[in-house]
Amino acid sequence: MKALLPFHLNKVGAGFPSPATDYVEDDIDLNGHLIKNIPSTFLIRVQGKSMNNVGIHDGDLLVVDRSLNPKNFSTVIVNINEELVVKSFLREKNETFLTSGSKKSEDKINLTENSEISIWGVVTYVIHAL
Amino acid sequence: MLYSKKKFALVDCNSFYVSCERLFNPSILKKPVVVLSNNDGCVISRSTEAKKLGIKMGEPYFKVEKIIKINDVKIFSTNFALYGDISRRVMKTLKQFSPQMEIYSIDEAFLDLSSVKNDNLLEHCYKIRKTILKWTGIPTSIGIGTTKTLSKAANYIAKKEKSGIVDLVNSKKVDSLLSEVKINNVWGVGRQLTKFYAKNGINTAYDLKKIHNGWIKKNTNVFGSRTAMELRGLPCISLEPHEEKRKNCCVSRSFGKKVTKLEELSEAITAHSLNAAEKIRLDRQTVKKITVFIRTSPFLNKKNYYANSKSIDLAIKTNDSIELIKQALIVLKNIYRKGYRYQKAGIILSGLEDINSYDKNLFSTIRNEKKREKLMKAIDYANAKYGRHSLSIAQAGIKKIWSGKKQHYSKIDTASFKLLPTVRI
């Protein structure tokens, strides 16, 4: 799963050495950028089209961190009716809700009233191919 | 006290394979679930609900098929790619709680918690349990004791406790708790020793603890008295944080359907040899001795039952796939008998040694050794890059009709882009 993009620098040879070699650190590491907590982070693929308006599309990869607690407007993976689905997490006054990203109020699920619904993880990045 | 007070925790994942299957499949969260061994042969992991139905560990599928059908028990074939990845995550999480840790198996680890104050032990372990559940989704049980054997016993009791944690370090009822642990469930007491102890009225961990040391020393071996001393709180077995390199490597599978022909058995043995050779090359080891074994179903009557195994000592230590296959097939031909319906075949490489001690042998049968080493490297590289079995040896078969059935495979691998779990939006 490691994807490394190398910096191409001069090979040591005759002549004046590259002044950039003083600044060489490491290869750029997308894993380190996208994954803050390795053991708790999972990649999950998306199926369906109902969240295009929040920037999640069919076939996208979600980076999901289970160790995080959701904040207002977090995108989360939840277990509803024996299935894992993607929802938006909202906090209003002392209550928390889940929505599908649409403005329709019937889509809004009150989390405080539905204790059987559990949050599986918090989506931290969407990887979308263009 | 004569010795410094050590504190160990044994963290064990509950119904580990089942818990892994449940992670991405909430529809089976509260239902009875079992995972079947290779070739869907035996039950090797059970959810609490399945245990309550009376399904026993290790029972062959056909014996519990009725219970499974009647109660709509969900069944899964093994998915070791998934279990391996989840296991690595659990162990990485655990490591943050104690740098002194020994990974004991795919789903359990010992932690050295000697630096944690007695008063904080329980709270510390609650935190471990909570963190593992949140981060990886895997429920665990934790046993705490002043020796590894005691922590194992504590874990055994913890499995039945709602809190999931039993602390024998601070407990005032250690003896009554130990009398709940049957002698065959004590760590280090095998089948033979259990029989022997039972004959002498030792039926629980507590019985073994209070028995006179002289008697144990006289009547059992060093391991027997070590276990008894550990139960008394005298640490004899230390933590082994560094994974020891394996000394044996066994690859075997049950067949998907019964196999009768030598050619099919040869294919299987070739594939297993390749697999084993790849493993030991990865660990930079060489092998001295190869054992091949074949057998029919053990449930057959005497007339139709056949099992045999034979070993061959290699003139030169090697990890060359082609050489290993050659030798393994010679052994196979030797033990193969016509007219039996074979159920299982396997290969064991033993006398494994580090490659450093590899010395050139005058009698090497491999010509062009340097070239062959390069060939093996190329095969390993290609398989690492393009997926296992991308590059194989034709003799291992392409169709592999003998290979195991995996009818209930969950097709999820959290460490492979091709098989990532999916969510609906």
Side-chain angles (χ1 to χ4, degrees), chain A residues 39-67:
Chain A
S40 65
T41 304
F42 293 84
L43 289 184
I44 297 183
R45 202 176 290 280
V46 165
Q47 266 176 0
K49 299 195 162 112
S50 75
M51 284 195 114
N52 286 1
N53 53 343
V54 273
I56 299 176
H57 300 84
D58 193 27
D60 283 358
L61 279 181
L62 303 178
V63 181
V64 183
D65 191 342
R66 284 181 56 98
S67 68

PDB file of all heavy atoms in Angstrom, chain A residues 39-67:
ATOM      1  N   PRO A  39      -2.775   2.077  12.791  1.00  0.00           N
ATOM      2  CA  PRO A  39      -3.602   0.914  13.142  1.00  0.00           C
ATOM      3  C   PRO A  39      -5.105   1.165  13.090  1.00  0.00           C
ATOM      4  O   PRO A  39      -5.888   0.235  12.922  1.00  0.00           O
ATOM      5  CB  PRO A  39      -3.161   0.567  14.569  1.00  0.00           C
ATOM      6  CG  PRO A  39      -2.385   1.713  15.062  1.00  0.00           C
ATOM      7  CD  PRO A  39      -1.849   2.439  13.870  1.00  0.00           C
ATOM      8  N   SER A  40      -5.528   2.434  13.202  1.00  0.00           N
ATOM      9  CA  SER A  40      -6.971   2.685  13.251  1.00  0.00           C
ATOM     10  C   SER A  40      -7.520   3.210  11.929  1.00  0.00           C
ATOM     11  O   SER A  40      -8.693   3.540  11.834  1.00  0.00           O
ATOM     12  CB  SER A  40      -7.289   3.682  14.371  1.00  0.00           C
ATOM     13  OG  SER A  40      -6.712   4.930  14.071  1.00  0.00           O
ATOM     14  N   THR A  41      -6.670   3.307  10.903  1.00  0.00           N
ATOM     15  CA  THR A  41      -7.123   3.890   9.638  1.00  0.00           C
ATOM     16  C   THR A  41      -7.362   2.823   8.569  1.00  0.00           C
ATOM     17  O   THR A  41      -6.506   1.989   8.307  1.00  0.00           O
ATOM     18  CB  THR A  41      -6.114   4.930   9.133  1.00  0.00           C
ATOM     19  OG1 THR A  41      -5.938   5.909  10.152  1.00  0.00           O
ATOM     20  CG2 THR A  41      -6.612   5.609   7.866  1.00  0.00           C
ATOM     21  N   PHE A  42      -8.542   2.876   7.963  1.00  0.00           N
ATOM     22  CA  PHE A  42      -8.935   1.905   6.945  1.00  0.00           C
ATOM     23  C   PHE A  42      -9.271   2.620   5.646  1.00  0.00           C
ATOM     24  O   PHE A  42      -9.743   3.751   5.661  1.00  0.00           O
ATOM     25  CB  PHE A  42     -10.162   1.122   7.402  1.00  0.00           C
ATOM     26  CG  PHE A  42      -9.905   0.218   8.576  1.00  0.00           C
ATOM     27  CD1 PHE A  42      -9.958   0.707   9.878  1.00  0.00           C
ATOM     28  CD2 PHE A  42      -9.583  -1.112   8.387  1.00  0.00           C
ATOM     29  CE1 PHE A  42      -9.729  -0.118  10.959  1.00  0.00           C
ATOM     30  CE2 PHE A  42      -9.342  -1.951   9.466  1.00  0.00           C
ATOM     31  CZ  PHE A  42      -9.412  -1.459  10.753  1.00  0.00           C
ATOM     32  N   LEU A  43      -9.013   1.944   4.531  1.00  0.00           N
ATOM     33  CA  LEU A  43      -9.467   2.470   3.239  1.00  0.00           C
ATOM     34  C   LEU A  43     -10.758   1.739   2.865  1.00  0.00           C
ATOM     35  O   LEU A  43     -10.817   0.521   2.921  1.00  0.00           O
ATOM     36  CB  LEU A  43      -8.418   2.219   2.165  1.00  0.00           C
ATOM     37  CG  LEU A  43      -7.135   3.048   2.258  1.00  0.00           C
ATOM     38  CD1 LEU A  43      -6.238   2.756   1.052  1.00  0.00           C
ATOM     39  CD2 LEU A  43      -7.458   4.538   2.304  1.00  0.00           C
ATOM     40  N   ILE A  44     -11.759   2.515   2.498  1.00  0.00           N
ATOM     41  CA  ILE A  44     -13.052   1.919   2.162  1.00  0.00           C
ATOM     42  C   ILE A  44     -13.547   2.489   0.834  1.00  0.00           C
ATOM     43  O   ILE A  44     -13.438   3.695   0.583  1.00  0.00           O
ATOM     44  CB  ILE A  44     -14.085   2.196   3.285  1.00  0.00           C
ATOM     45  CG1 ILE A  44     -13.602   1.523   4.567  1.00  0.00           C
ATOM     46  CG2 ILE A  44     -15.476   1.714   2.895  1.00  0.00           C
ATOM     47  CD1 ILE A  44     -14.553   1.641   5.729  1.00  0.00           C
ATOM     48  N   ARG A  45     -14.038   1.619  -0.033  1.00  0.00           N
ATOM     49  CA  ARG A  45     -14.485   2.073  -1.346  1.00  0.00           C
ATOM     50  C   ARG A  45     -15.978   2.409  -1.334  1.00  0.00           C
ATOM     51  O   ARG A  45     -16.760   1.743  -0.658  1.00  0.00           O
ATOM     52  CB  ARG A  45     -14.182   1.010  -2.405  1.00  0.00           C
ATOM     53  CG  ARG A  45     -14.121   1.587  -3.802  1.00  0.00           C
ATOM     54  CD  ARG A  45     -13.726   0.555  -4.829  1.00  0.00           C
ATOM     55  NE  ARG A  45     -12.338   0.118  -4.741  1.00  0.00           N
ATOM     56  CZ  ARG A  45     -11.301   0.803  -5.227  1.00  0.00           C
ATOM     57  NH1 ARG A  45     -11.480   1.968  -5.805  1.00  0.00           N
ATOM     58  NH2 ARG A  45     -10.085   0.325  -5.129  1.00  0.00           N
ATOM     59  N   VAL A  46     -16.324   3.453  -2.092  1.00  0.00           N
ATOM     60  CA  VAL A  46     -17.703   3.954  -2.089  1.00  0.00           C
ATOM     61  C   VAL A  46     -18.506   3.366  -3.237  1.00  0.00           C
ATOM     62  O   VAL A  46     -18.013   3.226  -4.345  1.00  0.00           O
ATOM     63  CB  VAL A  46     -17.682   5.500  -2.231  1.00  0.00           C
ATOM     64  CG1 VAL A  46     -19.055   6.026  -2.588  1.00  0.00           C
ATOM     65  CG2 VAL A  46     -17.166   6.134  -0.960  1.00  0.00           C
ATOM     66  N   GLN A  47     -19.753   3.000  -2.922  1.00  0.00           N
ATOM     67  CA  GLN A  47     -20.674   2.552  -3.963  1.00  0.00           C
ATOM     68  C   GLN A  47     -21.924   3.402  -3.889  1.00  0.00           C
ATOM     69  O   GLN A  47     -22.506   3.537  -2.815  1.00  0.00           O
ATOM     70  CB  GLN A  47     -21.066   1.097  -3.715  1.00  0.00           C
ATOM     71  CG  GLN A  47     -20.209   0.102  -4.454  1.00  0.00           C
ATOM     72  CD  GLN A  47     -20.586  -1.325  -4.086  1.00  0.00           C
ATOM     73  OE1 GLN A  47     -21.477  -1.569  -3.287  1.00  0.00           O
ATOM     74  NE2 GLN A  47     -19.881  -2.261  -4.693  1.00  0.00           N
ATOM     75  N   GLY A  48     -22.337   3.986  -5.002  1.00  0.00           N
ATOM     76  CA  GLY A  48     -23.577   4.766  -5.015  1.00  0.00           C
ATOM     77  C   GLY A  48     -23.325   6.223  -5.334  1.00  0.00           C
ATOM     78  O   GLY A  48     -22.180   6.669  -5.395  1.00  0.00           O
ATOM     79  N   LYS A  49     -24.418   6.964  -5.556  1.00  0.00           N
ATOM     80  CA  LYS A  49     -24.248   8.327  -6.074  1.00  0.00           C
ATOM     81  C   LYS A  49     -24.917   9.396  -5.231  1.00  0.00           C
ATOM     82  O   LYS A  49     -24.959  10.551  -5.608  1.00  0.00           O
ATOM     83  CB  LYS A  49     -24.804   8.386  -7.503  1.00  0.00           C
ATOM     84  CG  LYS A  49     -24.046   7.433  -8.418  1.00  0.00           C
ATOM     85  CD  LYS A  49     -24.304   7.708  -9.869  1.00  0.00           C
ATOM     86  CE  LYS A  49     -23.218   7.046 -10.693  1.00  0.00           C
ATOM     87  NZ  LYS A  49     -23.706   5.938 -11.507  1.00  0.00           N
ATOM     88  N   SER A  50     -25.441   9.024  -4.053  1.00  0.00           N
ATOM     89  CA  SER A  50     -26.292   9.985  -3.348  1.00  0.00           C
ATOM     90  C   SER A  50     -25.514  11.080  -2.620  1.00  0.00           C
ATOM     91  O   SER A  50     -26.103  11.943  -2.000  1.00  0.00           O
ATOM     92  CB  SER A  50     -27.207   9.253  -2.367  1.00  0.00           C
ATOM     93  OG  SER A  50     -26.456   8.848  -1.246  1.00  0.00           O
ATOM     94  N   MET A  51     -24.185  11.074  -2.656  1.00  0.00           N
ATOM     95  CA  MET A  51     -23.450  12.100  -1.923  1.00  0.00           C
ATOM     96  C   MET A  51     -22.558  12.942  -2.830  1.00  0.00           C
ATOM     97  O   MET A  51     -21.569  13.514  -2.387  1.00  0.00           O
ATOM     98  CB  MET A  51     -22.627  11.461  -0.812  1.00  0.00           C
ATOM     99  CG  MET A  51     -23.477  11.045   0.375  1.00  0.00           C
ATOM    100  SD  MET A  51     -22.482  10.704   1.804  1.00  0.00           S
ATOM    101  CE  MET A  51     -22.958  11.990   2.925  1.00  0.00           C
ATOM    102  N   ASN A  52     -22.927  12.999  -4.121  1.00  0.00           N
ATOM    103  CA  ASN A  52     -22.146  13.794  -5.059  1.00  0.00           C
ATOM    104  C   ASN A  52     -22.023  15.242  -4.602  1.00  0.00           C
ATOM    105  O   ASN A  52     -21.003  15.883  -4.816  1.00  0.00           O
ATOM    106  CB  ASN A  52     -22.790  13.756  -6.450  1.00  0.00           C
ATOM    107  CG  ASN A  52     -22.553  12.408  -7.125  1.00  0.00           C
ATOM    108  OD1 ASN A  52     -21.923  11.529  -6.528  1.00  0.00           O
ATOM    109  ND2 ASN A  52     -23.040  12.257  -8.333  1.00  0.00           N
ATOM    110  N   ASN A  53     -23.090  15.734  -3.926  1.00  0.00           N
ATOM    111  CA  ASN A  53     -23.081  17.141  -3.512  1.00  0.00           C
ATOM    112  C   ASN A  53     -22.088  17.445  -2.384  1.00  0.00           C
ATOM    113  O   ASN A  53     -21.762  18.582  -2.134  1.00  0.00           O
ATOM    114  CB  ASN A  53     -24.492  17.592  -3.125  1.00  0.00           C
ATOM    115  CG  ASN A  53     -25.106  16.661  -2.096  1.00  0.00           C
ATOM    116  OD1 ASN A  53     -24.622  15.540  -1.917  1.00  0.00           O
ATOM    117  ND2 ASN A  53     -26.126  17.109  -1.426  1.00  0.00           N
ATOM    118  N   VAL A  54     -21.631  16.400  -1.651  1.00  0.00           N
ATOM    119  CA  VAL A  54     -20.594  16.663  -0.660  1.00  0.00           C
ATOM    120  C   VAL A  54     -19.217  16.227  -1.171  1.00  0.00           C
ATOM    121  O   VAL A  54     -18.251  16.181  -0.422  1.00  0.00           O
ATOM    122  CB  VAL A  54     -20.869  15.967   0.701  1.00  0.00           C
ATOM    123  CG1 VAL A  54     -21.728  16.807   1.592  1.00  0.00           C
ATOM    124  CG2 VAL A  54     -21.445  14.590   0.510  1.00  0.00           C
ATOM    125  N   GLY A  55     -19.151  15.898  -2.460  1.00  0.00           N
ATOM    126  CA  GLY A  55     -17.850  15.592  -3.047  1.00  0.00           C
ATOM    127  C   GLY A  55     -17.430  14.147  -2.905  1.00  0.00           C
ATOM    128  O   GLY A  55     -16.250  13.831  -3.013  1.00  0.00           O
ATOM    129  N   ILE A  56     -18.380  13.264  -2.656  1.00  0.00           N
ATOM    130  CA  ILE A  56     -18.048  11.839  -2.609  1.00  0.00           C
ATOM    131  C   ILE A  56     -18.755  11.156  -3.763  1.00  0.00           C
ATOM    132  O   ILE A  56     -19.966  11.286  -3.926  1.00  0.00           O
ATOM    133  CB  ILE A  56     -18.480  11.203  -1.269  1.00  0.00           C
ATOM    134  CG1 ILE A  56     -17.741  11.889  -0.118  1.00  0.00           C
ATOM    135  CG2 ILE A  56     -18.193   9.711  -1.260  1.00  0.00           C
ATOM    136  CD1 ILE A  56     -18.156  11.399   1.253  1.00  0.00           C
ATOM    137  N   HIS A  57     -17.984  10.462  -4.602  1.00  0.00           N
ATOM    138  CA  HIS A  57     -18.531   9.879  -5.826  1.00  0.00           C
ATOM    139  C   HIS A  57     -18.363   8.366  -5.840  1.00  0.00           C
ATOM    140  O   HIS A  57     -17.520   7.822  -5.126  1.00  0.00           O
ATOM    141  CB  HIS A  57     -17.844  10.492  -7.045  1.00  0.00           C
ATOM    142  CG  HIS A  57     -18.022  11.971  -7.130  1.00  0.00           C
ATOM    143  ND1 HIS A  57     -17.217  12.845  -6.444  1.00  0.00           N
ATOM    144  CD2 HIS A  57     -18.927  12.726  -7.805  1.00  0.00           C
ATOM    145  CE1 HIS A  57     -17.607  14.088  -6.696  1.00  0.00           C
ATOM    146  NE2 HIS A  57     -18.657  14.033  -7.517  1.00  0.00           N
ATOM    147  N   ASP A  58     -19.156   7.744  -6.709  1.00  0.00           N
ATOM    148  CA  ASP A  58     -19.094   6.302  -6.888  1.00  0.00           C
ATOM    149  C   ASP A  58     -17.657   5.875  -7.208  1.00  0.00           C
ATOM    150  O   ASP A  58     -17.010   6.455  -8.071  1.00  0.00           O
ATOM    151  CB  ASP A  58     -20.024   5.916  -8.058  1.00  0.00           C
ATOM    152  CG  ASP A  58     -20.263   4.417  -8.103  1.00  0.00           C
ATOM    153  OD1 ASP A  58     -20.186   3.778  -7.044  1.00  0.00           O
ATOM    154  OD2 ASP A  58     -20.527   3.899  -9.204  1.00  0.00           O
ATOM    155  N   GLY A  59     -17.136   4.884  -6.498  1.00  0.00           N
ATOM    156  CA  GLY A  59     -15.793   4.358  -6.764  1.00  0.00           C
ATOM    157  C   GLY A  59     -14.680   5.064  -6.007  1.00  0.00           C
ATOM    158  O   GLY A  59     -13.533   4.617  -6.051  1.00  0.00           O
ATOM    159  N   ASP A  60     -14.993   6.162  -5.320  1.00  0.00           N
ATOM    160  CA  ASP A  60     -13.954   6.883  -4.556  1.00  0.00           C
ATOM    161  C   ASP A  60     -13.441   6.036  -3.391  1.00  0.00           C
ATOM    162  O   ASP A  60     -14.115   5.125  -2.920  1.00  0.00           O
ATOM    163  CB  ASP A  60     -14.532   8.179  -3.972  1.00  0.00           C
ATOM    164  CG  ASP A  60     -14.656   9.265  -5.020  1.00  0.00           C
ATOM    165  OD1 ASP A  60     -14.252   9.008  -6.176  1.00  0.00           O
ATOM    166  OD2 ASP A  60     -15.167  10.351  -4.690  1.00  0.00           O
ATOM    167  N   LEU A  61     -12.226   6.383  -2.958  1.00  0.00           N
ATOM    168  CA  LEU A  61     -11.678   5.732  -1.771  1.00  0.00           C
ATOM    169  C   LEU A  61     -11.804   6.680  -0.587  1.00  0.00           C
ATOM    170  O   LEU A  61     -11.435   7.848  -0.679  1.00  0.00           O
ATOM    171  CB  LEU A  61     -10.194   5.430  -1.982  1.00  0.00           C
ATOM    172  CG  LEU A  61      -9.827   4.197  -2.784  1.00  0.00           C
ATOM    173  CD1 LEU A  61      -8.316   4.066  -2.854  1.00  0.00           C
ATOM    174  CD2 LEU A  61     -10.427   2.957  -2.158  1.00  0.00           C
ATOM    175  N   LEU A  62     -12.329   6.157   0.512  1.00  0.00           N
ATOM    176  CA  LEU A  62     -12.416   6.972   1.720  1.00  0.00           C
ATOM    177  C   LEU A  62     -11.312   6.556   2.672  1.00  0.00           C
ATOM    178  O   LEU A  62     -11.073   5.371   2.873  1.00  0.00           O
ATOM    179  CB  LEU A  62     -13.766   6.764   2.411  1.00  0.00           C
ATOM    180  CG  LEU A  62     -15.016   7.045   1.580  1.00  0.00           C
ATOM    181  CD1 LEU A  62     -16.262   6.747   2.407  1.00  0.00           C
ATOM    182  CD2 LEU A  62     -15.027   8.500   1.108  1.00  0.00           C
ATOM    183  N   VAL A  63     -10.633   7.555   3.238  1.00  0.00           N
ATOM    184  CA  VAL A  63      -9.684   7.276   4.311  1.00  0.00           C
ATOM    185  C   VAL A  63     -10.466   7.458   5.610  1.00  0.00           C
ATOM    186  O   VAL A  63     -10.968   8.540   5.883  1.00  0.00           O
ATOM    187  CB  VAL A  63      -8.485   8.246   4.261  1.00  0.00           C
ATOM    188  CG1 VAL A  63      -7.486   7.930   5.372  1.00  0.00           C
ATOM    189  CG2 VAL A  63      -7.806   8.179   2.887  1.00  0.00           C
ATOM    190  N   VAL A  64     -10.600   6.390   6.376  1.00  0.00           N
ATOM    191  CA  VAL A  64     -11.457   6.412   7.558  1.00  0.00           C
ATOM    192  C   VAL A  64     -10.632   6.123   8.811  1.00  0.00           C
ATOM    193  O   VAL A  64      -9.951   5.113   8.884  1.00  0.00           O
ATOM    194  CB  VAL A  64     -12.577   5.353   7.443  1.00  0.00           C
ATOM    195  CG1 VAL A  64     -13.511   5.420   8.640  1.00  0.00           C
ATOM    196  CG2 VAL A  64     -13.345   5.525   6.144  1.00  0.00           C
ATOM    197  N   ASP A  65     -10.700   7.050   9.763  1.00  0.00           N
ATOM    198  CA  ASP A  65      -9.951   6.866  11.010  1.00  0.00           C
ATOM    199  C   ASP A  65     -10.928   6.559  12.146  1.00  0.00           C
ATOM    200  O   ASP A  65     -11.760   7.390  12.505  1.00  0.00           O
ATOM    201  CB  ASP A  65      -9.155   8.142  11.320  1.00  0.00           C
ATOM    202  CG  ASP A  65      -8.161   7.928  12.453  1.00  0.00           C
ATOM    203  OD1 ASP A  65      -8.324   6.942  13.208  1.00  0.00           O
ATOM    204  OD2 ASP A  65      -7.222   8.738  12.572  1.00  0.00           O
ATOM    205  N   ARG A  66     -10.809   5.364  12.689  1.00  0.00           N
ATOM    206  CA  ARG A  66     -11.735   4.944  13.749  1.00  0.00           C
ATOM    207  C   ARG A  66     -11.416   5.587  15.093  1.00  0.00           C
ATOM    208  O   ARG A  66     -12.245   5.597  15.996  1.00  0.00           O
ATOM    209  CB  ARG A  66     -11.680   3.423  13.921  1.00  0.00           C
ATOM    210  CG  ARG A  66     -12.395   2.643  12.840  1.00  0.00           C
ATOM    211  CD  ARG A  66     -12.298   1.147  13.136  1.00  0.00           C
ATOM    212  NE  ARG A  66     -12.822   0.822  14.441  1.00  0.00           N
ATOM    213  CZ  ARG A  66     -14.053   0.359  14.673  1.00  0.00           C
ATOM    214  NH1 ARG A  66     -14.864   0.151  13.666  1.00  0.00           N
ATOM    215  NH2 ARG A  66     -14.449   0.094  15.892  1.00  0.00           N
ATOM    216  N   SER A  67     -10.164   6.091  15.236  1.00  0.00           N
ATOM    217  CA  SER A  67      -9.773   6.607  16.551  1.00  0.00           C
ATOM    218  C   SER A  67     -10.339   8.002  16.823  1.00  0.00           C
ATOM    219  O   SER A  67     -10.324   8.472  17.949  1.00  0.00           O
ATOM    220  CB  SER A  67      -8.246   6.625  16.692  1.00  0.00           C
ATOM    221  OG  SER A  67      -7.678   7.583  15.821  1.00  0.00           O
TER     222      SER A  67
END
